[in-house]
Amino acid sequence: MKKVLIANRGEIALRVMRTLKKMNIQTVAVYSDVDKDLPFVHFADEAYCIGEATPSQSYLNMDKILNVAIQTGAEGIHPGYGFLSENAVFAQRVSDAGIKFIGPSIEAINVMGDKLDAKQAVKKFDVPMVPGTDEELTDIALGKKIANEIGYPILIKASAGGGGKGMRVVDAESQFEEQFERATSEAISSFGNGAVFIEKYVQQPKHIEIQILADAHGNVIHLNERECSIQRRHQKVVEEAPSPVVDAALRAKIGEAAVNVAKSCHYEGVGTVEFLLDKDKNFYFLEMNTRLQVEHPVTEMTTGMDLVEAQVRVARGEELWLTQDEVPLFGHAIEVRVNAEDPENDFLPDLGKIVHYKRPQGLGIRVDDGFEEGLTIPLAYDPMIAKLIVYGKDREEAIEKTLKAIDEYEIAGMSTTLGFARFAIDHKEFRDGSFTINFVGDHFKPEMLRKEISAEIGEMSYEIFKKIKNEAEPVYEDQKLSSWKSKR
Ligand code: ADP
């Protein structure tokens, strides 16, 4: 493979290109008109504008992307995450054009893209699953009966759901009908597929996921776990590897289950099998994501393996170059998602121009970002600015270094999740490892962040600080910058 097109944008496009360049592979970028000044466009060996910001006109437009791939003679397409990365039709079309889709087989994408199909596929492998139904539920009376048997609270989930969407918690039978109807109509409007099912709502669990690596010859190994329990709206904000509560024996058990999930769909490449882990260390299969995950760098930092390089090697047909026993695990890594969001306003996007930007630096500090000072975070896409990944020789060192790196990170022009991440990582429950997916609901109130921020800014009143960080009224950029500087 001498030339690869990256069908994505922002930090992940840049991150993928870095590895491709390391491997002496030519890179082709495709971009939408609002992204023309982004670093990934300039970093690529060739770059082509394929349309307007609306994803259907650009990053989701298969015809345009395939055209560029064919015209430029790309031999592979790397889809990154999001956009077309888990789209079986795209994978098929890429393959039909004689180009290698750098990802799993069409079968794996199809099976794992649907939560009910995935449950059916893994059934024969004895993988533990959350108690519930494994078929589409259409009959409300039957649903109520099952929910009563399982015991409330339960979750009604969309089979085609993703990104934390399409889930409804039901606390009692009296709410069942209403929530069932809402879940179904939400599933139709968001995913075009109204199929829903029931799962027991696991109380105070942890989200633990296993990184899979498989070749095209049937060999499957796992690259340890990631702990991703710090979430808002069922979406991850802070991730780490390894998990503070998973020991070698449990890792081997969950790892084996994950390898079986991958085998059930003849998996190829890198993928992630997600589980819930309850207080008694029982684990339950949730789903498999058939792509590179946002949080893959914490696995890279603690194994020393480049997962994009691994994807390319598998795509070239190489047999796995290490056995399960040879998979390294050293030190500890933490990732913080730096999103342009306001944690004080329910984590809603807070977009705008980055008027000042300075990355933290130092040994074991990695920043995967897709923007630079002066650029604007566009409305059309995910509001992620960067990922801060910190490595320490042990968890304690990783925590301290992450807190320092957050303090050193300077972003002005919008609110970000950095302050929230600092609050979470410095929290007693994070430090002792007992935190669960309910951390935000149980412990986080915007006022707490205010205290954090007030401490950080000394005499300056919170109201002034907020005005600088989170301009409600339009303020000139130089004014924004100088007021931001004055608080440092
Ligand atoms: P998605 O595909 O939308 O990411 P998942 O099934 O992976 O959906 O679940 C996302 C998150 O929702 C999990 O990380 C967890 O926080 C929560 N969740 C999912 N299923 C359950 C469950 N049965 N009990 C409790 N929490 C759950």
Side-chain angles (χ1 to χ4, degrees):
M1 225 183 275
K2 294 198 180 61
K3 194 188 257 194
V4 168
L5 180 146
I6 299 87
N8 216 300
R9 64 184 292 281
E11 71 87 18
I12 194 61
L14 206 52
R15 187 262 164 275
V16 169
M17 285 180 201
R18 285 211 163 90
T19 291
L20 294 174
K21 286 199 176 183
K22 179 183 85 178
M23 300 177 84
N24 291 319
I25 295 171
Q26 293 281 307
T27 52
V28 181
V30 287
Y31 62 95
S32 74
D33 54 8
V34 289
D35 281 349
K36 67 178 186 340
D37 297 321
L38 259 54
F40 82 92
V41 176
H42 304 293
F43 192 78
D45 296 306
E46 295 170 63
Y48 301 89
C49 182
I50 51 170
E52 291 159 25
T54 319
S56 63
Q57 295 300 313
S58 44
Y59 301 107
L60 287 178
N61 193 303
M62 300 185 201
D63 289 332
K64 289 182 180 172
I65 294 169
L66 277 166
N67 256 340
V68 175
I70 294 163
Q71 298 294 325
T72 56
E75 291 154 276
I77 294 188
H78 193 299
Y81 54 70
F83 294 121
L84 294 168
S85 61
E86 290 172 286
N87 187 312
V89 175
F90 182 62
Q92 182 71 62
R93 288 193 58 188
V94 171
S95 163
D96 291 347
I99 299 169
K100 179 72 187 165
F101 178 76
I102 304 178
S105 68
I106 288 137
E107 175 204 352
I109 300 176
N110 269 329
V111 171
M112 292 300 160
D114 187 281
K115 294 185 204 289
L116 284 172
D117 287 350
K119 280 180 193 256
Q120 292 297 342
V122 304
K123 235 177 170 179
K124 23 184 189 317
F125 284 86
D126 235 15
V127 175
M129 279 187 266
V130 187
T133 53
D134 52 15
E135 274 171 31
E136 178 178 357
L137 186 76
T138 46
D139 182 344
I140 293 182
L142 178 66
K144 282 185 180 173
K145 188 169 164 279
I146 295 167
N148 277 321
E149 279 163 20
I150 297 172
Y152 287 94
I154 56 122
L155 264 182
I156 301 180
K157 266 192 186 182
S159 190
K165 294 188 197 90
M167 265 182 264
R168 299 236 139 226
V169 183
V170 190
D171 292 316
E173 188 177 327
S174 57
Q175 303 164 0
F176 189 92
E177 203 159 329
E178 188 195 337
Q179 297 296 2
F180 177 86
E181 269 151 20
R182 278 206 198 179
T184 310
S185 65
E186 231 171 69
I188 294 171
S189 65
S190 303
F191 312 109
N193 171 358
V196 296
F197 61 99
I198 293 180
E199 249 178 31
K200 181 166 183 60
Y201 186 76
V202 182
Q203 305 275 357
Q204 301 284 344
K206 280 178 160 290
H207 175 115
I208 303 288
E209 58 185 36
I210 300 278
Q211 178 66 55
I212 287 293
L213 174 61
D215 65 18
H217 311 281
N219 303 303
V220 188
I221 58 170
H222 72 82
L223 308 179
N224 314 319
E225 80 283 1
R226 292 184 288 258
E227 151 86 63
C228 314
S229 302
I230 305 287
Q231 307 179 346
R232 47 105 187 77
R233 284 196 296 271
H234 300 301
Q235 289 175 330
K236 304 153 190 166
V237 193
V238 176
E239 301 103 341
E240 63 180 315
S243 162
V245 302
V246 174
D247 59 16
L250 185 57
R251 177 170 305 122
K253 257 169 73 183
I254 310 181
E256 190 191 342
V259 165
N260 280 332
V261 171
K263 284 185 174 161
S264 79
C265 62
H266 309 107
Y267 203 78
E268 180 188 324
V270 306
T272 296
V273 184
E274 299 189 332
F275 296 92
L276 291 178
L277 181 73
D278 73 13
K279 283 198 268 319
D280 304 320
K281 304 268 171 97
N282 299 306
F283 60 92
Y284 307 100
F285 169 64
L286 269 185
E287 64 164 352
M288 180 167 194
N289 291 320
T290 56
R291 56 173 156 83
L292 189 70
Q293 298 271 105
V294 176
E295 59 274 21
H296 75 276
V298 292
T299 299
E300 295 187 322
M301 300 286 258
T302 48
T303 59
M305 292 171 69
D306 178 334
L307 294 191
V308 174
E309 185 184 328
Q311 286 185 297
V312 174
R313 289 177 71 176
V314 166
R316 281 171 166 170
E318 268 186 59
E319 268 202 54
L320 282 194
W321 46 96
L322 76 173
T323 61
Q324 188 63 63
D325 295 342
E326 290 166 347
V327 173
L329 174 59
F330 39 76
H332 202 94
I334 297 176
E335 175 181 283
V336 170
R337 295 197 193 186
V338 187
N339 295 339
E341 290 175 0
D342 188 358
E344 292 183 59
N345 188 15
D346 207 18
F347 293 93
L348 287 175
D350 183 25
L351 307 169
K353 184 168 174 172
I354 306 176
V355 296
H356 171 73
Y357 188 70
K358 191 163 155 279
R359 299 170 184 89
Q361 290 183 350
L363 182 67
I365 295 183
R366 164 174 169 184
V367 178
D368 281 17
D369 55 10
F371 293 93
E372 276 165 6
E373 187 171 298
L375 295 175
T376 299
I377 314 288
L379 184 68
Y381 315 113
D382 186 278
M384 192 162 75
I385 304 171
K387 302 181 313 206
L388 165 65
I389 310 107
V390 178
Y391 175 82
K393 66 178 181 309
D394 52 30
R395 189 166 188 265
E396 224 174 293
E397 186 182 88
I399 289 176
E400 296 310 323
K401 279 176 75 173
T402 306
L403 296 175
K404 298 282 181 302
I406 290 174
D407 292 343
E408 200 184 317
Y409 212 147
E410 299 178 5
I411 306 177
M414 71 271 297
S415 300
T416 74
T417 40
L418 276 173
F420 164 75
R422 195 186 199 298
F423 164 82
I425 294 167
D426 202 20
H427 196 278
K428 167 171 102 351
E429 271 201 8
F430 187 86
R431 285 181 180 271
D432 72 19
S434 64
F435 60 103
T436 71
I437 60 166
N438 307 104
F439 179 85
V440 170
D442 289 350
H443 300 295
F444 179 65
K445 290 194 193 68
E447 305 87 86
M448 292 166 167
L449 207 53
R450 264 171 229 186
K451 241 188 267 158
E452 288 268 316
I453 293 172
S454 334
E456 192 185 306
I457 59 175
E459 296 105 77
M460 187 183 286
S461 82
Y462 170 72
E463 290 313 316
I464 299 170
F465 180 82
K466 183 148 169 83
K467 201 164 165 3
I468 298 163
K469 276 260 190 188
N470 191 15
E471 303 298 351
E473 313 112 50
V475 172
Y476 294 111
E477 270 164 36
D478 52 350
Q479 212 180 324
K480 242 181 177 178
L481 185 56
S482 63
S483 42
W484 181 85
K485 273 186 178 154
S486 70
K487 84 141 187 87
R488 302 288 305 178

